[in-house]
Amino acid sequence: MIDKLDHIGIAVKDLQEALDFYENQLQIEATGTEEVSEQKVKVAFLPVGDTKLELLEGTTEDSPINKFIEKKGAGVQHIALRVDDIEQSLEDLKSKGVKLIDEKPRYGAGGAKIAFVHPKSTGGTLIELCEREE
Ligand SMILES: C[C@@H](C(=O)O)C(=O)SCCNC(=O)CCNC(=O)[C@H](O)C(C)(C)COP(=O)(O)OP(=O)(O)OC[C@H]1O[C@@H](n2cnc3c(N)ncnc32)[C@H](O)[C@@H]1OP(=O)(O)O
Ligand SMILES: [Co+2]
């Protein structure tokens, strides 16, 4: 069901400022930025080996990213696990009584299909399931 760690989602206050650190100081190159309006975020992906960092800036006050930063401060907000059939994964988890935030896949950056599992069901980590062709 789980293929790999697709990305680590990092909540930042200012995407440009964060990119300055990751690109210029750490020297990891971003592949581009995208606004995902349904999630109220602007994101940049930075490939690292076989996975990626996803820097996320909230685009509205009620964005999950800004709410997270308010409560917990900037930093790792979610991990994303790659699955090969997201509908089947969601059905499987639901049948096991796992609390899903999204019962149906939504649009994710780069055209992925994504859905979130509630941190209350995972022991405290927000988990994104993610299906993409690559
Ligand atoms: C673009 C896309 C992509 O990759 O393609 C993305 O990644 S978009 C990434 C941004 N989008 C998302 O995150 C969408 C999914 N997230 C959500 O629906 C929300 O953020 C929730 C996870 C449901 C949290 O909602 P809300 O902020 O209203 O929280 P709440 O006050 O009800 O909090 C419920 C409990 O969860 C905890 N909690 C909240 N956010 C958390 C997080 N990121 N990781 C771990 N725990 C978290 C709170 O501290 C609280 O715990 P206590 O009760 O113990 O105090
Ligand atoms: Co993500």
Side-chain angles (χ1 to χ4, degrees):
M1 176 175 136
I2 309 288
D3 291 334
K4 60 179 270 192
L5 178 65
D6 188 84
H7 62 267
I8 297 174
I10 301 173
V12 304
K13 286 188 188 146
D14 183 310
L15 190 57
Q16 273 320 312
E17 222 170 82
L19 277 173
D20 183 57
F21 169 73
Y22 282 91
E23 291 201 300
N24 299 330
Q25 265 75 56
L26 276 183
Q27 303 200 298
I28 310 172
E29 215 173 303
T31 50
T33 60
E34 178 179 344
E35 184 164 338
V36 180
S37 53
E38 192 182 10
Q39 296 290 341
K40 301 172 177 164
V41 295
K42 204 161 62 177
V43 309
F45 279 107
L46 299 94
V48 180
D50 196 29
T51 189
K52 296 178 273 296
L53 304 179
E54 177 186 50
L55 304 178
L56 305 115
E57 178 190 308
T59 51
T60 63
E61 221 165 274
D62 66 339
S63 161
I65 297 306
N66 287 334
K67 282 165 84 177
F68 178 83
I69 290 175
E70 235 170 71
K71 246 180 258 168
K72 303 195 186 228
V76 175
Q77 189 251 355
H78 67 270
I79 63 164
L81 302 175
R82 178 91 66 89
V83 297
D84 49 21
D85 183 342
I86 194 167
E87 279 91 356
Q88 200 197 305
S89 296
L90 290 172
E91 217 169 280
D92 178 56
L93 291 174
K94 199 180 166 188
S95 76
K96 290 173 176 160
V98 173
K99 188 173 176 196
L100 303 175
I101 294 171
D102 305 300
E103 299 211 346
K104 294 248 154 56
R106 295 162 170 263
Y107 176 86
K113 292 204 262 181
I114 64 169
F116 287 89
V117 183
H118 202 285
K120 288 274 179 233
S121 266
T122 68
T125 300
L126 176 61
I127 295 181
E128 174 189 330
L129 301 179
C130 163
E131 178 189 329
R132 68 169 90 242
E133 281 164 33
E134 210 173 71

